[in-house]
């Protein structure tokens, strides 16, 4: 495999063994800019990557000014030990027109153990890493590992994970107090982080559940579903029956994180 380089190249290895034809191995991840050639998945020998976990299995969620440190644990295996291993988090088609997160740790380094788990640290920011809203959604992990004996494995899309925009939701139930049987109007708004303007704006056309928790209990139950307006506003009505708390619950979307409002208490007389 030909070594490649670029502004965000993570490493370039000169490994302790060569291919059967005598040519040397060379590994690195490409610059996160458009390239004309892409190395395909490749492997030689018994080196494997058995596990990659991004952000402890949780989505990466960013608001308008977020700065997050995201950890990735990578487990590589080779009976001879691991010479090096590395991962790249990216959005798009690797390595053409790729946007990604830069690592602050230069690969894993050597380990004589046959199974080696290392932790890599990546930086996500709302103004650099996710500088446009189109970067929300599914991201991928490219990874490689090299054995002490020169065996290797590279996977261009070993795993996927989510990078989501932060959502916010508010709620207000009125009037308070209210007579039993009268109408309660529940209003609020659903907004979404805009990574391009660095402001929150209304999230239109989203399904949101109105939920109720009876006073003295701990569990919320669904009352009805509504859809946010073109400006992200929420509004519905219910009949007053008993004291309790109303809230809006948004379960999220392929590009937006879920969010639930704190309950607003209504005293029913």
């Amino acid at each position: 495999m030909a070594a490649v380089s670029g502004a965000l190249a993570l490493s370039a290895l000169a490994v302790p063994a060569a291919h059967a034809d005598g040519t040397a191995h060379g590994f690195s991840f490409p610059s996160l800019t458009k390239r004309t050639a892409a190395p395909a998945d490749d492997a030689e020998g018994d080196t494997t990557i058995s596990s990659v976990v991004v952000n402890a299995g949780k989505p990466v969620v960013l608001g308008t000014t977020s700065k997050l440190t995201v950890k990735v644990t990578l487990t590589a295996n080779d009976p001879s030990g691991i010479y090096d291993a590395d991962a790249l988090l990216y959005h798009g088609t690797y390595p053409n027109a790729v946007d990604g997160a830069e690592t602050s740790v230069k690969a894993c380094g050597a380990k004589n153990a046959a199974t080696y788990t290392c932790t890599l640290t990546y930086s996500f920011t709302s103004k650099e890493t996710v500088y446009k809203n189109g970067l929300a959604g599914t991201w991928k992990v490219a990874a490689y590992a090299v054995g002490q004996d020169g065996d290797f494995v590279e996977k261009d899309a070993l795993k996927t994970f989510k990078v989501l925009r932060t959502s916010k939701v508010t709620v207000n139930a009125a009037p308070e107090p209210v007579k039993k049987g009268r109408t309660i109007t529940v209003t609020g708004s659903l907004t979404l982080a805009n990574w391009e303007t660095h402001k929150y704006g209304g999230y239109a056309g989203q399904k949101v559940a109105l939920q109720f928790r009876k006073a003295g209990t701990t569990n919320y139950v669904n009352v009805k579903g509504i859809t946010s307006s073109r400006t992200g506003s929420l509004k519905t009505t219910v009949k007053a029956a008993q004291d309790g708390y109303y809230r809006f619950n948004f379960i999220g979307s392929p590009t937006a994180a879920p969010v639930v409002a704190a309950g607003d208490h209504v005293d029913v007389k």
Side-chain angles (χ1 to χ4, degrees), residues 71-125:
K71 293 184 177 181
V72 175
T73 57
L74 184 155
T75 302
N77 315 273
D78 190 293
S80 70
I82 296 298
Y83 181 78
D84 203 4
D86 207 346
L88 174 71
L89 311 184
Y90 70 96
H91 180 276
T93 303
Y94 175 78
N96 298 314
V98 174
D99 291 285
E102 187 173 6
T103 181
S104 59
V105 177
K106 299 297 184 182
C108 294
K111 187 80 168 184
N112 289 328
T115 298
Y116 176 24
T117 298
C118 68
T119 299
L120 300 164
T121 303
Y122 298 79
S123 174
F124 278 79
T125 68

Side-chain angles (χ1 to χ4, degrees), residues 29-100:
F29 287 118
S31 162
L32 301 184
T33 57
K34 187 171 182 178
R35 301 183 61 85
T36 58
D41 287 358
D42 200 2
E44 182 177 296
D46 53 10
T47 305
T48 60
I49 298 173
S50 58
S51 176
V52 173
V53 180
V54 180
N55 201 36
K58 300 176 182 178
V60 177
V61 180
L62 295 101
T64 57
T65 59
S66 298
K67 294 182 179 179
L68 299 181
T69 296
V70 174
K71 293 184 177 181
V72 175
T73 57
L74 184 155
T75 302
N77 315 273
D78 190 293
S80 70
I82 296 298
Y83 181 78
D84 203 4
D86 207 346
L88 174 71
L89 311 184
Y90 70 96
H91 180 276
T93 303
Y94 175 78
N96 298 314
V98 174
D99 291 285

Side-chain angles (χ1 to χ4, degrees), residues 14-268:
V15 302
H19 291 290
D21 62 5
T23 60
H25 294 306
F27 289 88
S28 66
F29 287 118
S31 162
L32 301 184
T33 57
K34 187 171 182 178
R35 301 183 61 85
T36 58
D41 287 358
D42 200 2
E44 182 177 296
D46 53 10
T47 305
T48 60
I49 298 173
S50 58
S51 176
V52 173
V53 180
V54 180
N55 201 36
K58 300 176 182 178
V60 177
V61 180
L62 295 101
T64 57
T65 59
S66 298
K67 294 182 179 179
L68 299 181
T69 296
V70 174
K71 293 184 177 181
V72 175
T73 57
L74 184 155
T75 302
N77 315 273
D78 190 293
S80 70
I82 296 298
Y83 181 78
D84 203 4
D86 207 346
L88 174 71
L89 311 184
Y90 70 96
H91 180 276
T93 303
Y94 175 78
N96 298 314
V98 174
D99 291 285
E102 187 173 6
T103 181
S104 59
V105 177
K106 299 297 184 182
C108 294
K111 187 80 168 184
N112 289 328
T115 298
Y116 176 24
T117 298
C118 68
T119 299
L120 300 164
T121 303
Y122 298 79
S123 174
F124 278 79
T125 68
S126 296
K127 293 186 178 182
E128 295 175 353
T129 313
V130 289
Y131 56 91
K132 58 184 177 181
N133 295 326
L135 291 173
T138 300
W139 281 48
K140 301 172 185 176
V141 182
Y144 70 75
V146 184
Q148 295 281 9
D149 57 1
D151 292 346
F152 70 91
V153 60
E154 181 195 9
K155 297 290 185 180
D156 292 350
L158 183 63
K159 189 181 183 70
T160 63
F161 65 100
K162 292 289 187 180
V163 178
L164 303 176
R165 297 158 67 185
T166 298
S167 306
K168 294 182 178 181
V169 65
T170 63
V171 65
N172 181 61
E176 304 173 59
V178 63
K179 290 184 179 180
K180 187 174 182 178
R182 294 291 181 89
T183 297
I184 297 173
T185 301
V186 187
T187 58
S189 65
L190 178 66
T191 56
L192 183 64
N194 188 317
W195 292 338
E196 297 171 15
T197 65
H198 308 296
K199 297 179 181 179
Y200 282 84
Y203 198 11
Q206 300 302 306
K207 299 294 184 182
V208 178
L210 175 66
Q211 298 180 320
F212 177 75
R213 174 171 67 86
K214 182 181 177 181
T217 66
T218 58
N219 294 326
Y220 278 89
V221 296
N222 289 338
V223 177
K224 62 171 68 174
I226 65 171
T227 301
S228 61
S229 75
R230 63 182 180 84
T231 61
S233 64
L234 304 167
K235 185 176 182 178
T236 189
T237 59
V238 293
K239 293 295 184 181
Q242 53 192 333
D243 291 355
Y245 301 81
Y246 289 94
R247 73 180 187 183
F248 287 121
N249 184 7
F250 173 57
I251 64 171
S253 74
T255 58
V259 64
V260 60
D264 186 31
H265 182 260
V266 174
D267 182 16
V268 178

